Amino acid sequence: MASAALLAQLRDRLGPQGLLTEEADMAGHAIDWRRLFPGRPLAVARPADTAATAAVVDLCRRHGVAIVPQSGNTGMAGGATPDASGTELVLSLARMNAIRDVDPVGMTMELEAGVILETAQNAAAAAGRLLPISLAAEGSAMAGGVIATNAGGINVLRYGMARSLVLGLEVVLPDGTVVNGLRRLRKDNAGYDWKQLFIGSEGTLGIVTAAVLRLLPAPKDKVTALLSVPDPRAALDLLACAQDELGDTISAFELMSGFSLRLVETHFGLKRPVADGEWFVLIEAASTLSGLRDAAEAALGRALEDGFALDGIVADSGRGAADLWRLRERITESEAKEGKSVKHDVSVPIPLVPQFLVEAGEALAAKLPGARVNCFGHLGDGNLHYNVLADGRSSEEVNVVVHDVVQRFGGSISAEHGIGRYRVAELERRRAPAELDLSRRIKTALDPLDLMNPGKVLSRASLPRK
Ligand SMILES: Cc1cc2nc3c(=O)[nH]c(=O)nc-3n(C[C@H](O)[C@H](O)[C@H](O)COP(=O)(O)OP(=O)(O)OC[C@H]3O[C@@H](n4cnc5c(N)ncnc54)[C@H](O)[C@@H]3O)c2cc1C
């Protein structure tokens, strides 16, 4: 059998540690953390370096076997797990976990795809530098996955998404070619910036094996504040006020609904330390200079005086701040404990967020009465996690209601989590034909046999027949 021959060749090339074929050993690679996208891998290959990764890709191409790249397997869109056919090989980057270099003067870090995000953050901090990508899955998510999904997180407002921090990339193409673009340059206009194609491509164009990331000076002063606000429009006024008073030191501006914080209190016993309100904002500002606390208190005073905020507290960095962040970080898990939900990761232009919330709420009430909304997100980026608890309703039914409103507002149906396999149909329904056609042309040019994460981002049926 072709697959038996492939497995024998892979075992030869990778050694006993490099190939898993027993069901029990593969179990953690076969399903995502939300347990929504199970599959059955042919095997799990665990190459230890770039050359071995290229060899795996080359062997799979010769045997016509599809590959599903996987890093930390924390993705939200079902992109990192195989289908149920038992014919797709999972290629895990977990053994490629070296931080090759941290340069505090050039402010760069070169690392392999399997380095856990938190490990990379700690290595930057040890050199007095900041790697500003931060998200609740940072203890498991790996550099390769973060880059392949162009992850966002809580610091996008100030530092941009993963894309803005990638200076250089090394990838293995679907034909097994290694392309080494691990340059540490801030300025490089020599030809096409091809690395951008791979950032956010969710493993459908090639495998990210290593990267050079941009670092920043580590902040020495940090303040975190929690405020209650009367409504989302006031939260936007508060954003403008905070930008006036704190300038570009604002690194996070998170909106949380009263419902979200009630879930956290119910399931984790964590109480919010500010008086009643139906909406809450968590703001963090960080600076390499001191004096932030005074500026934060001035901003809070102005917000209370002008009526944007109803109540608020300012915590110094340290324990108080961690307690405030815990409220935000527990929302996703509280929602999971509350019941089944249909998640949406949408963005609309920032000034339109309040009206979007009104119209999405009205559409749900009209079409899916009784549905409850757990809304929270990165208001400073116009990105909302608009999750709907609607017992007995299919995700398709709920998606259409929410995404119709998103589309009306000129928004995106995936702000930061990607398309994976979960949102393929929605993307194909809602993106302009010319944009989809361009994406298919890129995919076909790089992966004519559709062996790199097939069925993710673009449907198999939409690609030319092999
Ligand atoms: C609790 C929680 C909170 C989260 N919060 C955020 C958030 O705030 N912002 C945000 O943007 N995301 C968030 N995410 C989802 C986010 O996309 C992932 O956490 C992270 O970016 C994915 O990294 P990973 O290593 O787990 O990738 P995986 O899940 O392993 O893979 C994700 C996708 O990338 C592909 N891929 C993986 N590695 C490679 C590689 N080396 N080369 C090519 N393709 C590859 C996979 O095939 C898959 O399509 C969250 C997830 C969780 C569980």
Side-chain angles (χ1 to χ4, degrees):
M1 251 175 69
S3 57
L6 170 65
L7 293 182
Q9 288 166 347
L10 287 171
R11 196 168 288 113
D12 264 6
R13 177 62 180 83
L14 300 174
Q17 276 201 333
L19 192 71
L20 310 177
T21 50
E22 295 298 323
E23 209 166 302
D25 297 337
M26 298 193 295
H29 298 275
I31 190 163
D32 65 301
W33 72 279
R34 287 163 69 199
R35 309 194 76 74
L36 286 181
F37 308 102
R40 200 160 66 85
L42 167 67
V44 178
R46 304 174 72 241
D49 57 31
T50 301
T53 304
V56 172
V57 173
D58 186 46
L59 283 171
C60 285
R61 183 181 55 84
R62 288 169 194 275
H63 287 268
V65 165
I67 292 176
V68 180
Q70 189 180 89
S71 289
N73 198 11
T74 69
M76 294 277 201
T81 49
D83 68 12
S85 66
T87 61
E88 296 184 340
L89 182 98
V90 171
L91 193 156
S92 165
L93 280 301
R95 283 175 77 205
M96 290 190 59
N97 58 6
I99 295 180
R100 295 177 182 164
D101 180 67
V102 180
D103 174 359
V105 178
M107 295 221 261
T108 59
M109 173 186 291
E110 182 174 325
L111 79 180
E112 294 179 349
V115 174
I116 289 178
L117 178 55
E118 195 173 56
T119 308
Q121 292 166 344
N122 291 341
R129 296 292 174 250
L130 174 73
L131 174 61
I133 309 171
S134 179
L135 35 94
E138 63 201 18
S140 310
M142 296 171 185
V146 166
I147 292 168
T149 56
N150 185 27
I154 56 173
N155 291 331
V156 172
L157 175 64
R158 181 163 176 189
Y159 303 105
M161 297 185 68
R163 184 184 302 285
S164 66
L165 296 160
V166 178
L167 293 178
L169 213 58
E170 181 188 73
V171 297
V172 176
L173 299 181
D175 67 2
T177 308
V178 176
V179 187
N180 183 335
L182 291 172
R183 284 182 284 275
R184 302 168 178 205
L185 306 173
R186 306 279 158 151
K187 303 180 81 170
D188 179 13
N189 271 349
Y192 296 141
D193 189 5
W194 56 262
K195 66 178 179 297
Q196 302 300 344
L197 278 180
F198 296 87
I199 304 169
S201 67
E202 301 180 60
T204 58
L205 300 180
I207 297 177
V208 174
T209 44
V212 177
L213 302 179
R214 187 163 68 87
L215 304 178
L216 289 110
K220 297 193 178 67
D221 198 8
K222 200 184 256 188
V223 285
T224 310
L226 180 71
L227 295 91
S228 55
V229 297
D231 53 40
R233 201 163 293 282
L236 274 190
D237 291 335
L238 179 64
L239 175 62
C241 165
Q243 279 164 335
D244 288 348
E245 301 288 338
L246 294 161
D248 60 4
T249 63
I250 303 171
S251 48
F253 194 95
E254 299 284 301
L255 181 72
M256 300 175 283
S257 65
F259 182 78
S260 303
L261 292 193
R262 280 194 292 280
L263 286 184
V264 173
E265 183 168 352
T266 305
H267 296 289
F268 286 95
L270 300 176
K271 286 189 192 306
R272 56 183 157 73
V274 290
D276 256 348
E278 260 321 292
W279 291 90
F280 299 85
V281 172
L282 184 62
I283 309 178
E284 190 157 275
S287 174
T288 48
L289 307 173
S290 53
L292 264 185
R293 192 178 174 97
D294 289 347
E297 281 176 350
L300 175 60
R302 200 183 126 193
L304 289 169
E305 211 174 284
D306 292 351
F308 311 144
L310 301 169
D311 190 16
I313 61 162
V314 179
D316 290 313
S317 38
R319 217 167 139 191
D323 288 345
L324 295 185
W325 271 110
R326 210 159 289 123
L327 294 170
R328 167 68 180 82
E329 285 159 1
R330 291 290 195 204
I331 295 175
T332 303
E333 289 161 89
S334 308
E335 181 187 292
K337 285 176 189 278
E338 180 74 7
K340 240 181 114 205
S341 64
V342 181
K343 291 189 193 294
H344 302 97
D345 164 41
V346 303
S347 59
V348 295
I350 296 168
L352 303 186
V353 167
Q355 191 56 26
F356 165 79
L357 288 170
V358 170
E359 293 190 26
E362 286 171 358
L364 278 173
K367 295 188 175 135
L368 303 172
R372 296 178 297 158
V373 175
N374 182 26
C375 178
F376 58 100
H378 317 295
L379 181 64
D381 317 322
N383 175 195
L384 299 171
H385 300 306
Y386 194 88
N387 301 341
V388 180
L389 293 120
D391 287 338
R393 307 294 194 151
S394 71
S395 53
E396 289 77 16
E397 264 179 296
V398 184
N399 282 338
V400 84
V401 178
V402 175
H403 289 165
D404 277 353
V405 186
V406 171
Q407 196 162 4
R408 224 170 45 235
F409 278 76
S412 169
I413 61 159
S414 181
E416 59 176 12
H417 291 162
I419 296 297
R421 65 168 104 158
Y422 181 46
R423 296 193 177 91
V424 172
E426 276 293 87
L427 184 76
E428 292 189 341
R429 184 174 307 133
R430 294 175 190 279
R431 272 280 145 105
E435 281 189 89
L436 289 169
D437 182 53
L438 175 59
S439 303
R440 289 182 192 122
R441 282 202 254 170
I442 293 168
K443 167 78 174 170
T444 312
L446 288 173
D447 183 20
L449 301 176
D450 191 20
L451 291 179
M452 203 50 81
N453 221 0
K456 316 289 170 55
V457 183
L458 297 167
S459 65
R460 286 183 165 116
S462 74
L463 294 169
R465 276 168 189 265
K466 289 172 254 174

